[in-house]
Amino acid sequence: MFKPFPLAIVAAAAVSTAAIAAGPLQVTSKILAEHRARAADGTTSETLVAAAKVVPGTRVVFVLEYRNTGRQPLANIVFDNPVPRGIAYRGPAPNSPAPEVSVDGKTYGALAALSVRTPAGARPAGPDDVTHVRWRLARPLAPGAQGQFAFQAVLK
């Protein structure tokens, strides 16, 4: 039997460095769990709900929301988030651009372009190897502008 895992520990590890910085860039993160409900007619629907306690195998979505509360555009914004231990990256969330990913926290790119060093040599990186996700804003963030990025994961 699995013991529930308090997701607050994971959430604390997932907060972007930008969330800590004071200034006009306001960043918040939240973790949502997939919840399946069966209707009386037998159909099943999936919704995302605030994740409080989860068990291994639970599919979750990490959401990073950002907003420029200042009076000037903000340029060169990079959101770099570690993927907490105990969480396995699965891919970008629907309607979210794919992040650059890293398997070592130093080199970023598309997952298919990365490799992992092993005692036997190198092998192609897979979703379970991802340690960091990163998004870059292509254009300056106008005053009052906001947006979000998200990725899917599963609790190991």
Side-chain angles (χ1 to χ4, degrees):
M1 172 158 212
F2 295 117
K3 291 185 178 182
F5 184 78
L7 213 49
I9 295 169
V10 174
V15 176
S16 167
T17 303
I20 298 169
L25 181 62
Q26 299 295 310
V27 181
T28 58
S29 65
K30 60 185 172 184
I31 302 172
L32 304 172
E34 291 184 1
H35 175 72
R36 291 182 185 196
R38 187 173 305 275
D41 66 1
T43 60
T44 303
S45 65
E46 280 188 10
T47 57
L48 294 175
V49 297
K53 291 187 178 184
V54 294
V55 297
T58 300
R59 293 170 34 176
V60 293
V61 176
F62 284 76
V63 180
L64 181 78
E65 297 173 329
Y66 58 90
R67 181 172 187 214
N68 180 355
T69 61
R71 296 177 188 217
Q72 300 294 323
L74 301 174
N76 303 316
I77 298 174
V78 177
F79 299 100
D80 187 347
N81 279 13
V83 175
R85 288 181 182 228
I87 296 292
Y89 174 82
R90 289 298 174 250
N95 302 315
S96 180
E100 295 177 292
V101 297
S102 177
V103 297
D104 61 9
K106 298 173 186 171
T107 303
Y108 286 81
L111 186 58
L114 300 176
S115 61
V116 176
R117 294 177 194 228
T118 68
R123 65 168 174 78
D128 288 346
D129 299 312
V130 173
T131 62
H132 292 75
V133 296
R134 178 172 78 182
W135 293 274
R136 297 174 184 265
L137 294 185
R139 296 183 203 104
L141 185 63
Q146 60 188 12
Q148 75 175 28
F149 297 115
F151 70 91
Q152 298 174 322
V154 66
L155 187 67
K156 292 180 183 176

